[in-house]
Amino acid sequence: MTTDERVGQSGTGPGEIAPDGSSVDLYVQVQPHGEDELVNAAIAHGSSILELGCGTGRITRPLVAFGHQVVAVDESAAMTAQITEAETVVSTIEDLRLDRRFDVVLMMSYLINVADDGARQRLLDTCAHHVKPDGVVLLQQQDREVFARNVVRESAQRRVEVADVQQLPDDMQSATMIYTVGDHTWSQSVLVKNLTEERLVAALHASGLALDGYLTPDRGWIRANLL
């Protein structure tokens, strides 16, 4: 088991577990669900992209295939070791300070919904530090309905259970995600804080960023620019 006290997450299961509780073996098997196409449609062809929290490269690879130049960042060396198609950097997002800026800074996987407000601010500081003056920051935020109740979703490939759901003060939610693929099972405990638009705007502004709109009607994808 590994536990990341910064975000209140832990994970169990076979193979290496990243500091945030994610299983390397599990994430190698996960395919894009349209996120790559959404991002590609929102940016210029041949953009330079800093992908924060790249994991095993699920979105890195298709973005490179679309013709973008991607630098993929993750704190887990075991995760980035799976990526051969792009430049990789092993670092926590909060500590990352590269001596270059990018057309696009991409931070997916609901990292903006970290429960700790200070940690969120440091993540956004990194985004602002690395985006070009005329560039864009793209962020994916959590849909509160995902952790509204316990639920099981099954397909031919895997079983996903959302269990132990709790609604907590300050619009926080906790749950345990249980993934089963074949004979292997992994669990990941998560704690997220949902953001009102007012809270989102305030956090962006504190890092020198401004909300520029949303990529999707459900507001799950945020577009921001430097102030």
Side-chain angles (χ1 to χ4, degrees):
M1 175 185 292
T2 182
T3 300
D4 188 337
E5 295 179 353
R6 294 166 302 160
V7 293
Q9 295 188 338
S10 63
T12 65
E16 184 157 351
I17 304 295
D20 70 347
S22 303
S23 162
V24 177
D25 289 355
L26 174 63
Y27 275 82
V28 164
Q29 303 178 54
V30 179
Q31 299 300 310
H33 297 291
E35 305 95 333
D36 53 331
E37 296 174 350
L38 180 72
V39 170
N40 180 60
I43 63 178
H45 179 70
S47 291
S48 59
I49 302 174
L50 179 65
E51 183 188 3
L52 301 175
C54 63
T56 58
R58 180 176 67 95
I59 304 302
T60 313
R61 294 183 190 89
L63 288 178
V64 171
F66 280 129
H68 304 293
Q69 298 93 49
V70 182
V71 175
V73 178
D74 201 280
E75 66 179 333
S76 168
M79 290 282 193
T80 59
Q82 309 301 316
I83 303 171
T84 58
E85 298 83 357
E87 177 185 349
T88 60
V89 177
V90 178
S91 172
T92 62
I93 297 173
E94 300 95 316
D95 295 329
L96 183 72
R97 289 296 181 270
L98 302 177
D99 189 23
R100 47 184 155 156
R101 290 178 178 259
F102 298 80
D103 299 318
V104 180
V105 175
L106 174 64
M107 190 170 73
M108 296 175 44
S109 302
Y110 320 117
L111 294 175
I112 194 173
N113 294 105
V114 61
D116 181 79
D117 294 334
R120 179 182 309 104
Q121 215 58 63
R122 291 189 292 275
L123 295 175
L124 291 174
D125 286 347
T126 296
C127 293
H129 178 85
H130 290 96
V131 69
K132 290 181 178 179
D134 59 348
V136 62
V137 175
L138 299 181
L139 307 165
Q140 184 185 27
Q141 71 172 333
Q142 175 73 30
D143 178 355
R144 69 184 65 241
E145 288 301 311
V146 172
F147 297 137
R149 62 193 65 84
N150 293 347
V151 66
V152 176
R153 303 183 185 92
E154 294 190 72
S155 67
Q157 291 75 34
R158 64 176 182 167
R159 182 181 190 269
V160 180
E161 180 179 359
V162 183
D164 306 324
V165 169
Q166 295 185 60
Q167 309 304 318
L168 304 172
D170 201 19
D171 208 3
M172 292 196 295
Q173 297 170 305
S174 67
T176 301
M177 302 293 298
I178 304 171
Y179 305 90
T180 302
V181 180
D183 297 329
H184 301 297
T185 297
W186 297 268
S187 71
Q188 184 174 7
S189 297
V190 297
L191 175 66
V192 298
K193 180 180 287 189
N194 298 297
L195 303 176
T196 63
E197 185 168 273
E198 180 181 14
R199 178 175 277 175
L200 169 64
V201 168
L204 290 171
H205 274 235
S207 293
L209 296 167
L211 176 64
D212 188 44
Y214 300 93
L215 302 186
T216 54
D218 64 1
R219 299 188 173 188
W221 284 85
I222 299 157
R223 183 184 182 98
N225 309 107
L226 287 173
L227 288 170

